[in-house]
Amino acid sequence: MAHHHNTSVNLDEKFVFSAEIKKKLFILIGVGVILVIIGVFLAMYQENHAHGGHGEHASVTTSLVADAHATDAHAAEAPHGDAHAHAEAGHEAHGDHGAHKPTWALRLIKDLWQNNIFFAGIAVMGVFFVAFNYVAWAGWSAGIQRIPSAFGNYLWVAAPLTIVLFVVFGHDLFHWTHEDLYDKTSAHYDPLLDGKKAFLNTPFFLARTVIYFALWLFSWTTLRKYQKNEDLSPDTKWWHKSVVTSAFFLIFFGVTSSMSAWDWAMSMDPHFFSTMFGWYVFASWFVSALAFITLIVVLLKDNGYLSIINENHLHDLGKFVFAFSIFWTYIWFEQFLLIYYANIPEEVGYFVQRLKTDAYTPIFFLTLFLNFFFPFLVLMTRGSKRMGIMLKIVCVVVILGHWFDFYMITTPPVLNQSGGLDGIFLFMELGLAMVFVGVFLFMVLTALSRLQLIPKNHPMIEESVHHDVF
């Protein structure tokens, strides 16, 4: 049964991307750039003046990883031991390949890639949210549809940036791109990677990346065209066309979301493989997108927009963030449990490198707190999910937590034990994150201002107006 809400709903609302908001975003981006520049200079200074001490620290932590791996290898059966030995050789070779660049440069390249794939995933998850609500004939979400729909506009930034970063810095980010790994006469020859060469090779990787973005952008632009037509005409044919387009999008999204996670994240550790990794990255991307959607909805509501939204809509968004925080934790724990406690030699190195070293152990547990314990405890009650201030706090923490999750995925393969929290982190990593947040919001708000804020001709808009949660 539906109760009547929002008798003063204005269905003709339009978001105005004012000069004041643009100015704030440009300031955010500008401050971020300045912080990055300061961070780079600090990192260069530190590297030049403390190279001896740093090298000693690196050797100690690397030895810790090597010792832990060696222990695992002894516990393994002979074939696994061989595979692990190849993996170790690969890790060492990776270090050799990256040695020609200073650590600060590798760190900056890694940060660019980390933020790039994090926000690219959030952008496509906005399209995913819109698509599955169309296919489900969902009515409650009709009033907020245009917010996740606007996320897709960032794909125009992510697509070229992903390709350029891979083409220019592929050798620094992806160990498997080095040709000598496949030369049987080379000291760096890696039989394990040679076995994956049919999939992990530069032309196929680039082709897949182009296909992912092409399919995602085609679906997004098609859905946006139908939404625009729907605003101009009350004909429900545009809604039906959107449902069909969304169904096709969901079919290939189910494949491309996992494959892009394998390509852009898992292949940075090319000796590691997990059948759950695609789901793991999907969960991280999706809950981050849900947090951004909720945050933007609450902020728009605070600024006088979205008269259609009541506390029941916020309640459902809070439930989404709560549920998928638990889902991420479930996938995280299953992946960890199966690999770490089964002690599979060629796979456990991934967790040893992150769990048993000084550089990453604090962040390892920090991500669990930010991504599970905090949202779980705060959003457990019905009341907290209906309060804008609580949702704002939790959503910021969840976004930060999953940004750290991607930090943990992307940093060890590139920087080995030279990563982790230090004073420079507050400049280089934080600054670059601010730049990407600013650009992401600029693209989203630009798209948001181009269509009606509320899809007034959506056939289920009345259901959204009167949405109630018991």
Side-chain angles (χ1 to χ4, degrees):
M1 177 183 289
H3 290 193
H4 290 281
H5 291 280
N6 297 327
T7 52
S8 60
V9 169
N10 175 16
L11 296 181
D12 293 316
E13 287 181 25
K14 192 163 175 46
F15 172 71
V16 178
F17 194 9
S18 66
E20 185 185 351
I21 301 174
K22 288 178 183 174
K23 183 181 174 184
K24 287 179 180 175
L25 289 179
F26 286 136
I27 290 173
L28 179 70
I29 295 169
V31 171
V33 170
I34 292 170
L35 288 176
V36 172
I37 292 170
I38 294 172
V40 167
F41 277 108
L42 288 174
M44 291 171 69
Y45 178 84
Q46 185 186 60
E47 202 168 326
N48 290 333
H49 289 81
H51 188 264
H54 179 76
E56 185 180 341
H57 171 72
S59 67
V60 169
T61 50
T62 304
S63 297
L64 178 57
V65 176
D67 290 344
H69 283 198
T71 304
D72 297 329
H74 285 306
E77 297 295 330
H80 286 164
D82 290 345
H84 192 235
H86 292 315
E88 281 300 303
H91 282 302
E92 290 170 11
H94 194 186
D96 293 344
H97 282 134
H100 63 284
K101 272 196 174 65
T103 303
W104 68 264
L106 288 173
R107 185 170 176 171
L108 186 60
I109 293 166
K110 189 283 307 173
D111 288 345
L112 282 167
W113 185 256
Q114 174 204 339
N115 284 284
N116 173 52
I117 61 172
F118 180 58
F119 284 96
I122 292 172
V124 74
M125 286 297 163
V127 186
F128 171 65
F129 184 93
V130 173
F132 76 71
N133 275 281
Y134 268 129
V135 173
W137 288 30
W140 77 273
S141 59
I144 63 162
Q145 180 204 67
R146 295 296 160 83
I147 287 95
S149 173
F151 283 20
N153 200 33
Y154 181 76
L155 291 172
W156 292 115
V157 175
L161 189 57
T162 304
I163 293 167
V164 168
L165 285 175
F166 177 77
V167 170
V168 177
F169 301 117
H171 285 335
D172 301 308
L173 294 165
F174 296 94
H175 172 55
W176 55 263
T177 58
H178 296 273
E179 290 298 325
D180 55 348
L181 296 171
Y182 309 100
D183 180 1
K184 292 184 179 179
T185 63
S186 168
H188 290 153
Y189 175 68
D190 190 325
L192 193 149
L193 292 188
D194 200 20
K196 297 183 178 182
K197 191 178 179 183
F199 187 81
L200 284 182
N201 61 78
T202 297
F204 194 24
F205 182 97
L206 274 174
R208 289 195 300 271
T209 297
V210 169
I211 291 171
Y212 303 152
F213 281 114
L215 289 173
W216 296 346
L217 277 167
F218 174 75
S219 301
W220 179 73
T221 52
T222 304
L223 286 173
R224 292 284 287 184
K225 183 177 73 176
Y226 293 157
Q227 288 171 357
K228 185 177 180 181
N229 291 340
E230 186 183 72
D231 284 347
L232 299 174
S233 165
D235 195 331
T236 55
K237 74 176 182 181
W238 302 115
W239 179 81
H240 285 290
K241 283 176 176 284
S242 297
V243 172
V244 173
T245 303
S246 296
F248 281 110
F249 169 77
L250 291 178
I251 291 170
F252 57 74
F253 176 78
V255 178
T256 55
S257 65
S258 282
M259 290 187 69
S260 59
W262 301 340
D263 284 345
W264 301 343
M266 192 165 77
S267 79
M268 295 181 78
D269 259 311
H271 294 94
F272 169 70
F273 54 90
S274 164
T275 53
M276 305 182 74
F277 199 82
W279 284 105
Y280 175 72
V281 172
F282 164 84
S284 201
W285 272 338
F286 188 50
V287 75
S288 304
L290 289 169
F292 263 111
I293 293 168
T294 307
L295 195 59
I296 292 173
V297 166
V298 174
L299 290 173
L300 285 174
K301 184 75 178 169
D302 287 349
N303 284 279
Y305 291 104
L306 293 176
S307 57
I308 191 172
I309 297 298
N310 59 52
E311 59 185 12
N312 297 288
H313 297 92
L314 299 182
H315 190 170
D316 276 351
L317 286 169
K319 284 191 290 188
F320 256 118
V321 175
F322 179 79
F324 277 90
S325 291
I326 296 174
F327 178 71
W328 173 86
T329 312
Y330 167 73
I331 299 292
W332 182 95
F333 186 65
E334 285 294 298
Q335 183 173 257
F336 175 76
L337 185 75
L338 291 174
I339 293 174
Y340 199 76
Y341 286 97
N343 200 18
I344 302 170
E346 63 269 33
E347 296 181 4
V348 77
Y350 178 88
F351 285 105
V352 169
Q353 195 176 22
R354 288 157 176 80
L355 179 60
K356 289 191 173 181
T357 55
D358 293 340
Y360 302 113
T361 301
I363 309 175
F364 186 88
F365 291 106
L366 178 66
T367 55
L368 271 182
F369 174 77
L370 297 177
N371 296 334
F372 174 62
F373 289 105
F374 189 83
F376 180 79
L377 294 174
V378 174
L379 291 180
M380 187 178 286
T381 65
R382 173 185 170 88
S384 63
K385 290 191 276 286
R386 303 168 79 87
M387 295 171 60
I389 182 65
M390 300 301 286
L391 289 174
K392 280 191 277 190
I393 293 170
V394 171
C395 288
V396 169
V397 170
V398 165
I399 292 167
L400 182 65
H402 287 281
W403 182 89
F404 270 116
D405 190 25
F406 273 79
Y407 179 88
M408 289 294 281
I409 291 172
T410 57
T411 306
V414 179
L415 296 179
N416 293 317
Q417 297 306 303
S418 299
L421 300 173
D422 57 17
I424 298 170
F425 187 94
L426 296 173
F427 295 94
M428 195 182 287
E429 275 76 15
L430 180 66
L432 202 57
M434 289 168 64
V435 172
F436 272 85
V437 167
V439 174
F440 176 76
L441 290 178
F442 185 87
M443 295 301 290
V444 169
L445 296 181
T446 298
L448 199 61
S449 67
R450 288 179 178 165
L451 293 182
Q452 292 289 328
L453 191 54
I454 298 174
K456 61 181 180 181
N457 292 323
H458 191 292
M460 297 184 187
I461 197 67
E462 276 298 307
E463 185 177 333
S464 188
V465 170
H466 302 296
H467 179 57
D468 212 337
V469 177
F470 293 98

